[in-house]
Amino acid sequence: MRGGRRKPGAKDYPLLSRFQGSILANAGTINFEQAQVPLGDGKTITLEGKFHNYYYVAPANIGDLEVFRSYQAALERSRFKILYACDAPEQCARQKLGAYAASWSEKPQSFVGGYSSITRLGENGNYPPRYLVAQLARPEGNVTAILTVQPPSSTQKDNGVGSPYFLQVIESGGMKAGNVTVSADELGKGLAAEGKIALYGVYFDTGKAELKPESKTQLDEMGKLLTQNKQLKVAIVGHTDNQGSLEANGTLSQKRAEAVVAALAGTYKIDSKRLMARGVASLAPVASNGTEAGRARNRRVELVEQ
């Protein structure tokens, strides 16, 4: 699906390239946002994170169905799960599914070049869209793709271009590292009040147990707490959401807890006898795993007083 010209300085999303020969007419990124994404029949899914917006125009004589089917197949090959697909334009138009893409075209922050030429797709009955939502589950946060494709207008046909389409990719859990750090004082208060505290400032790559550099800020505060309180003994408990097998998540959460213990003992010189590592996978959720927001809360490291 690669090829075609690009808007200067803009690139396709790494996991999802364009339909071959398409022009990337506009693009932009919002570092952190929230949206209600339609799933048909009045249903929606609430997503938040980093939003990547792409407005493409397909080559001449390429219709909306060909673009739609090409993306649908590419997403499935890339292990995305199709959450919802509407390939009947009249049905999509009745549900006003094109309004989602149009609403983003009207946000000044959506595109580097300002307003795109996406219209209220299909609401006037002339250019009914096709629409799909697909999601890739990842330990560090899901990736959701929302695709809206409309047939070319008469003007676009006269200009020698094919179907325009809007692709939005949402990386959940994309809040800037450091914004969720809990200070040593707050760690102490949390342990005193409840005997445990959840931490979301400890970061790992997908499916791996090596601490990312962005974790240093939170680790500094944990080391400070344990240095100031020489008698304090804690368990480091790793938690996951319920995506993937329980066995694999159990192993991963244990290794991640062990990585935190190793960092505290090594970098911060905390006596290893004061530290315990445990991984419990998805067995102790703090929210429903039925929503991305809930799964994001469940992916955490907890500090538990012993």
Side-chain angles (χ1 to χ4, degrees):
M1 288 174 61
R2 291 194 179 278
R5 291 181 290 151
R6 291 177 173 173
K7 180 180 176 61
K11 298 180 179 180
D12 297 333
Y13 188 74
L15 299 180
L16 288 172
S17 57
R18 72 192 71 183
F19 184 94
Q20 185 175 3
S22 295
I23 297 169
L24 178 52
N26 215 336
T29 298
I30 303 173
N31 285 331
F32 198 79
E33 185 57 274
Q34 183 183 83
Q36 298 285 331
V37 179
L39 293 181
D41 299 322
K43 299 178 182 178
T44 62
I45 182 174
T46 302
L47 298 174
E48 61 180 34
K50 191 170 187 177
F51 282 57
H52 303 273
N53 303 307
Y54 305 92
Y55 175 61
Y56 294 102
V57 180
N61 302 318
I62 298 298
D64 52 310
L65 181 59
E66 185 173 354
V67 173
F68 183 87
R69 290 286 187 240
S70 179
Y71 266 96
Q72 188 174 32
L75 287 162
E76 291 173 340
R77 286 196 304 269
S78 300
R79 298 182 294 108
F80 279 76
K81 177 182 179 181
I82 306 297
L83 301 183
Y84 177 76
C86 179
D87 59 3
E90 293 75 14
Q91 177 187 351
C92 301
R94 286 195 299 271
Q95 298 189 64
K96 299 186 182 299
L97 294 174
Y100 181 79
S103 70
W104 285 95
S105 75
E106 295 165 1
K107 295 179 185 289
Q109 69 270 35
S110 294
F111 296 98
V112 172
Y115 184 83
S116 80
S117 59
I118 299 168
T119 62
R120 288 283 177 183
L121 305 178
E123 289 190 5
N124 58 8
N126 294 330
Y127 306 107
R130 301 178 195 269
Y131 175 90
L132 71 79
V133 181
Q135 191 170 82
L136 174 66
R138 304 189 305 176
E140 77 276 28
N142 294 345
V143 176
T144 306
I146 301 100
L147 175 71
T148 308
V149 189
Q150 89 181 102
S153 66
S154 56
T155 300
Q156 288 167 328
K157 288 180 180 178
D158 291 341
N159 290 332
V161 296
S163 294
Y165 57 100
F166 173 68
L167 174 66
Q168 183 177 74
V169 181
I170 303 173
E171 298 173 340
S172 297
M175 187 175 290
K176 185 178 179 181
N179 287 352
V180 292
T181 300
V182 182
S183 70
D185 287 344
E186 292 301 318
L187 289 174
K189 291 176 183 177
L191 292 180
E194 298 186 23
K196 65 178 181 178
I197 187 165
L199 305 175
Y200 295 92
V202 180
Y203 302 94
F204 301 90
D205 280 324
T206 306
K208 296 183 179 180
E210 289 77 22
L211 285 160
K212 298 184 70 173
E214 298 93 322
S215 304
K216 184 179 183 301
T217 304
Q218 185 61 79
L219 290 170
D220 285 348
E221 295 301 316
M222 296 166 72
K224 182 179 178 181
L225 170 73
L226 291 163
T227 299
Q228 292 174 342
N229 298 271
K230 302 292 186 182
Q231 304 304 312
L232 179 62
K233 296 181 179 181
V234 297
I236 307 298
V237 184
H239 298 263
T240 69
D241 58 26
N242 68 346
Q243 305 299 292
S245 73
L246 182 62
E247 181 180 2
N249 285 333
T251 300
L252 181 63
S253 59
Q254 176 67 30
K255 289 182 177 179
R256 287 179 170 180
E258 290 172 356
V260 176
V261 165
L264 293 172
T267 304
Y268 302 93
K269 309 303 180 185
I270 306 301
D271 187 348
S272 60
K273 294 179 181 178
R274 300 169 56 195
L275 305 170
M276 176 192 304
R278 290 289 185 272
V280 297
S282 59
L283 298 179
V286 292
S288 169
N289 278 301
T291 66
E292 172 51 34
R295 290 191 292 271
R297 290 185 61 198
N298 290 334
R299 297 188 294 266
R300 68 198 188 280
V301 169
E302 283 191 345
L303 193 64
V304 181
E305 185 176 13
Q306 297 301 294

